[in-house]
Amino acid sequence: MSAEATYTVAIAGLGKRGMHHADAFAANPRFKIVGLADIDAARAEAAGQKFGDAFTSTDAADMLANTKPDIFCFCTLPHIRLPLIQAGVDAGVELIAYEKPVATSTNEALEMMKLLRDAGVKSVVSHQHRYGEHYRKVKEIIASGAIGRVHTVYAHATGWMLHMMTHLIDYASWYNDYADAEWVVGQADGIEKFSDNHPSPDYISALIQFKNGVRGVIECGDGAPDVPEVDYWWRKARIGAQGTEGFAEVLTGGGWRAITRDSNGVISGPGSMDYSLDMPPYIQDIANWLDDPAQVHPCNGETAFKGFEIMMAACRSVVQRGKVMLPLGPGEPELDALKAVLPSPTAQPN
Ligand SMILES: NC(=O)c1ccc[n+]([C@@H]2O[C@H](COP(=O)([O-])OP(=O)(O)OC[C@H]3O[C@@H](n4cnc5c(N)ncnc54)[C@H](O)[C@@H]3O)[C@@H](O)[C@H]2O)c1
């Protein structure tokens, strides 16, 4: 479509992230919100009042049938993915924008990708932290060659797997030019967080062999290193790259720092993850991609799926042991399999 087109948007799931998306779509003249749905009628009603004359419903499929939008956006908790992808594809939308993580199992993600690919529907997954000025500065330093040949990318966060791990993998992979992964070795610990609405092992780590020879090191959850420079617990995340002549890394809540070939000691700068700064360009890039198929969204679903596969490969490695080769085929649902093999606290020796 032309750069003047206005794209219609229908949004399902109007909690914290749904409202962030609605705010950003509403603030951008390239979009018009035509539908709002939440199974919680009060939330749908409140959003309807905030965003004017949009159709509101407690049922996403009903909203889609009544509004026929260009874009379907959904921001539900991780266990609700495949039925909403199906609903968007059935409604004939051009693009589906949804929240991370991609899914809760490889089987589900493979079905989702098949539906999207067969129907030619674009998808975008919200790994929007990468728009932060400090995230982009680190990318710029690495891409300039200032740290030499990158041999290692790394990322860790204290938040648990289904909240944080695909963010970490996505940004570490970005710093490695999104090279494909060849294999993953994983280890995990603790079952307490399986009862959370982002069910996860309490701790998980992944060693990644990328096809370009770079090593990836990812850790998240209880036991991942602290980032003492950052006070806000959810932003205690560190993502970076080491090269033959230096390193560059971002602290999600604490700017960036680097040592480069030409720097005289450590150089650093500001930046802190901020939805109000990261959402507008993330949303604008949706219009850019719909305007011009060559302007592929940085958070496109195919890339997100590759990161999701790395996370699931780490889970499979805990269960099966050893290296798990990529890409993954269907298999035992990873979260159930993982929960079954991890020792419960009562089973552990004193
Ligand atoms: N990208 C980020 O930075 C970021 C930050 C926080 C959360 N998230 C992700 O966003 C997602 C949503 O998290 P949240 O904190 O907004 O959750 P939330 O609980 O605040 O909101 C979810 C909403 O979805 C509604 N809902 C559930 N099933 C529905 C259905 N079938 N149709 C329509 N509405 C439905 C619920 O009633 C609720 O209002 C999660 O996957 C989470 O991991 C991403």
Side-chain angles (χ1 to χ4, degrees):
M1 271 205 224
S2 79
E4 284 77 42
T6 301
Y7 298 108
T8 54
V9 189
I11 306 169
L14 300 163
K16 171 181 150 174
R17 290 295 293 153
M19 293 304 278
H20 288 170
H21 280 76
D23 285 336
F25 279 120
N28 188 320
R30 298 300 313 282
F31 302 96
K32 178 173 169 48
I33 298 176
V34 294
L36 294 160
D38 198 298
I39 51 170
D40 179 333
R43 285 193 170 180
E45 177 70 18
Q49 282 176 11
K50 182 171 180 188
F51 297 108
D53 57 359
F55 178 90
T56 59
S57 178
T58 53
D59 180 73
D62 170 55
M63 169 187 72
L64 288 166
N66 276 282
T67 57
K68 296 273 173 229
D70 300 315
I71 298 163
F72 176 40
C73 170
F74 68 86
C75 302
T76 49
L77 289 171
H79 62 287
I80 305 169
R81 294 288 184 268
L82 182 57
L84 292 183
I85 292 285
Q86 179 80 62
V89 167
D90 289 349
V93 303
E94 274 191 67
L95 183 146
I96 300 179
Y98 66 105
E99 265 297 349
K100 47 63 45 178
V102 167
T104 53
S105 71
T106 300
N107 295 349
E108 182 184 26
L110 287 171
E111 279 192 65
M112 291 163 57
M113 297 312 288
K114 181 167 171 27
L115 280 172
L116 291 164
R117 289 168 184 157
D118 287 354
V121 174
K122 295 179 172 67
S123 63
V124 170
V125 177
S126 193
H127 292 124
Q128 82 290 351
H129 299 187
R130 76 202 297 286
Y131 288 91
E133 60 169 321
H134 49 331
Y135 279 73
R136 286 184 285 119
K137 180 69 181 175
V138 168
K139 175 64 183 175
E140 187 188 305
I141 292 170
I142 296 165
S144 75
I147 66 167
R149 177 183 61 80
V150 170
H151 51 70
T152 307
V153 292
Y154 54 89
H156 59 75
T158 45
W160 52 102
M161 184 178 87
L162 281 199
H163 274 294
M164 293 308 297
M165 195 166 180
T166 64
H167 278 300
L168 300 177
I169 293 168
D170 192 76
Y171 312 133
S173 299
W174 179 36
Y175 293 159
N176 186 30
D177 296 328
Y178 287 115
D180 284 337
E182 187 181 344
W183 54 254
V184 179
V185 164
Q187 189 53 278
D189 185 64
I191 60 168
E192 196 181 305
K193 286 285 183 268
F194 280 107
S195 57
D196 184 73
N197 61 19
H198 285 67
S200 307
D202 298 344
Y203 166 85
I204 187 162
S205 59
L207 296 176
I208 308 159
Q209 177 67 20
F210 290 101
K211 284 188 178 163
N212 63 354
V214 170
R215 165 70 69 247
V217 184
I218 309 285
E219 286 186 82
C220 76
D222 182 27
D226 185 22
V227 181
E229 301 89 335
V230 177
D231 290 332
Y232 187 16
W233 191 85
W234 281 107
R235 296 188 188 159
K236 286 177 172 290
R238 188 171 72 106
I239 304 131
Q242 295 171 344
T244 50
E245 296 178 76
F247 80 95
E249 64 183 18
V250 60
L251 310 182
T252 298
W256 62 272
R257 62 192 172 205
I259 293 179
T260 70
R261 183 192 304 125
D262 303 320
S263 70
N264 190 9
V266 179
I267 51 174
S268 61
S272 186
M273 189 272 207
D274 183 337
Y275 294 115
S276 70
L277 297 177
D278 299 342
M279 289 305 288
Y282 170 75
I283 293 297
Q284 177 59 42
D285 277 337
I286 292 177
N288 296 347
W289 194 15
L290 290 174
D291 290 344
D292 175 4
Q295 290 193 54
V296 177
H297 199 293
C299 300
N300 69 83
E302 293 290 343
T303 301
F305 174 66
K306 283 190 193 174
F308 176 77
E309 265 194 314
I310 290 173
M311 179 171 82
M312 289 291 112
C315 294
R316 286 190 184 186
S317 172
V318 178
V319 177
Q320 300 166 12
R321 303 184 189 185
K323 293 174 181 168
V324 172
M325 308 306 290
L326 295 173
L328 301 181
E332 200 180 357
E334 285 85 357
L335 294 177
D336 293 342
L338 195 47
K339 189 177 174 193
V341 300
L342 290 178
S344 68
T346 49
Q348 289 187 356
N350 290 327

